Amino acid sequence: MRVLGIETSCDETGLAVYDSERGLLSHALHSQVALHAEYGGVVPELASRDHVRKLLPLIRKVLEESGGGAADIDAVAYTAGPGLVGALLVGAGFARSLAMSWGVPAVAVHHMEGHLLAPMLEPERPEFPFIALLVSGGHTQLVRVDGVGRYRLLGQSVDDAVGEAFDKTAKLMGLGYPGGPELSRLAQSGQLDRFTFPRPMTDRPGLDFSFSGLKTFARNTLADHIGDAQAQADIAAAFQEAVVQTLVIKCRRALKQTGLKRLVVAGGVGANQRLREVLGEAMVALGGKVYFPRPAFCTDNGAMIAYAGWCRLQEGEQESGLSFNVRPRWDLGQPFHQP
Ligand code: KG4
Ligand code: ZN
């Protein structure tokens, strides 16, 4: 079965063709980073309009590169939420129209389920059950995954998502958008031990996170070292280290609590090199294994949506009819259609 995947939940237009026999055949991405950079964050209306411009050329490109054409597509998967309502509607409208005109089923995909299943596109795939650490711009969650659609939320951020904390702290430092990659680049020239940032909520039991205090800590430390360029880099390194160590502590706790040995890390912050290193070492010490998607599939992409869509089709899900909807707010594990 061959599935076209369409991702438009935020500021990336992602397309891919996944074949259940042959694997991922093609994928393409257009990032809107340059479009939103001067505003310091995503402007929803500009995002929707740009998806409209980019979708058709990218669909043509992935179809061409798949070695087949539209006639070979058996289903169209699209991100139906969570995300920006206008951006989601563009993708859903395209997906449902294509599916209808090609006479194939469409399937609605939860964006975070896409992230969570992204490691399945790599040569070394994790077996169920596993713990997933989802770290993106909008979510920080620890989830027990027993199979496709079998998710139990173990913990989540009570305030900022980890990507959001990276972005806000980077903004305080005057770095570009999105701040995560910029801040981690600056951290490379920083010293780890000049400043010590707290490890929020690690001194009490539980698997929830809080990251807004780290941003405030960074703001205060920056204010004490105005004009000191080296201090900026040292603060970036200390901030990143606090985030990474906090995530590691909570992952270790989740694995201990559940007795599981496999950890999947997905979402944009999963591309962070320091997180990949430290978690890798921690899992070796625990006798477990960590699975990351390749960095390009940690951030938003169409491949994960095509793959998750295929999984959902196997479960008998599909969308049909003339009406369609999206769910800008949608808890992972809840069915797409509200009762
Ligand atoms: O998953 P994603 O592409 O989009 C959402 O679903 O939110 O995640 C984007 C987030 C942004 O906050 C971005 O700053 C962060 O992931 N990010 C990183 C890195 N690459 C992306 N954060 C830290 N280090 C990175 N290398
Ligand atoms: Zn995402």
Side-chain angles (χ1 to χ4, degrees):
M1 180 181 227
R2 205 168 273 198
V3 183
L4 172 69
I6 301 183
E7 157 62 34
T8 63
S9 66
C10 189
D11 59 347
E12 330 264 357
T13 317
L15 276 304
V17 177
Y18 174 78
D19 185 295
S20 54
E21 306 283 304
R22 295 170 51 202
L24 187 66
L25 298 180
S26 56
H27 63 97
L29 187 85
H30 172 74
S31 167
Q32 302 178 355
V33 161
L35 179 70
H36 301 292
E38 64 173 300
Y39 304 99
V42 179
V43 183
E45 182 60 22
L46 293 183
S48 312
R49 289 172 191 222
D50 201 54
H51 288 308
V52 173
R53 277 192 291 268
K54 297 299 178 340
L55 269 171
L56 269 183
L58 286 181
I59 288 171
R60 283 206 187 95
K61 184 171 154 58
V62 292
L63 286 178
E64 253 165 46
E65 289 174 5
S66 71
D72 301 299
I73 298 294
D74 300 303
V76 183
Y78 61 97
T79 305
L84 302 171
V85 65
L88 290 168
L89 280 168
V90 174
F94 263 79
R96 297 293 299 275
S97 310
L98 283 175
M100 180 162 283
S101 64
W102 291 343
V104 299
V107 60
V109 173
H110 191 293
H111 180 79
M112 297 313 290
E113 180 171 65
H115 276 305
L116 183 135
L117 295 174
M120 299 295 187
L121 291 162
E122 303 305 331
E124 208 182 353
R125 301 154 51 113
E127 275 174 39
F128 299 118
F130 56 75
I131 297 292
L133 172 69
L134 300 177
V135 276
S136 72
H139 292 80
T140 304
Q141 298 181 323
L142 273 166
V143 182
R144 181 189 166 114
V145 180
D146 285 291
V148 173
R150 296 173 60 202
Y151 309 128
R152 207 169 82 225
L153 184 66
L154 303 176
Q156 62 184 332
S157 178
V158 297
D159 43 52
D160 291 353
V162 62
E164 190 181 356
F166 264 101
D167 294 341
K168 287 179 174 171
T169 305
K171 202 169 191 175
L172 288 174
M173 296 179 157
L175 303 175
Y177 180 86
E182 298 269 328
L183 191 150
S184 76
R185 209 167 301 130
L186 179 62
Q188 281 173 1
S189 55
Q191 241 178 288
L192 274 185
D193 52 2
R194 176 162 169 205
F195 301 107
T196 306
F197 277 52
R199 273 58 171 153
M201 292 181 73
T202 53
D203 56 351
R204 64 185 102 157
L207 295 171
D208 284 340
F209 305 90
S210 165
F211 289 108
S212 66
L214 285 180
K215 172 195 62 198
T216 311
F217 199 91
R219 179 189 289 123
N220 295 339
T221 316
L222 281 164
D224 292 340
H225 296 85
I226 291 169
D228 177 349
Q230 186 55 44
Q232 278 241 350
D234 297 340
I235 290 167
F239 168 86
Q240 175 174 264
E241 196 60 14
V243 169
V244 166
Q245 295 297 344
T246 302
L247 292 174
V248 171
I249 290 168
K250 294 289 163 101
C251 285
R252 208 185 280 136
R253 208 177 270 179
L255 291 163
K256 242 185 216 149
Q257 193 174 303
T258 55
L260 298 179
K261 292 279 184 197
R262 287 180 290 271
L263 177 71
V264 156
V265 183
V269 184
N272 183 278
Q273 209 46 49
R274 180 74 185 151
L275 179 65
R276 294 172 86 96
E277 269 166 36
V278 177
L279 259 182
E281 286 162 14
M283 289 303 289
V284 170
L286 273 181
K289 194 160 168 49
V290 61
Y291 299 82
F292 289 95
R294 72 194 80 166
F297 290 170
C298 282
T299 44
D300 292 349
N301 64 87
M304 67 184 195
I305 302 304
Y307 180 77
W310 177 72
C311 294
R312 285 287 168 177
L313 286 158
Q314 299 311 104
E315 306 281 309
E317 285 184 27
Q318 65 177 66
E319 302 293 315
S320 55
L322 287 172
S323 68
F324 69 92
N325 214 343
V326 293
R327 286 188 72 177
R329 299 174 74 85
W330 178 9
D331 286 342
L332 182 69
Q334 292 300 111
F336 175 52
H337 295 284
Q338 283 163 311

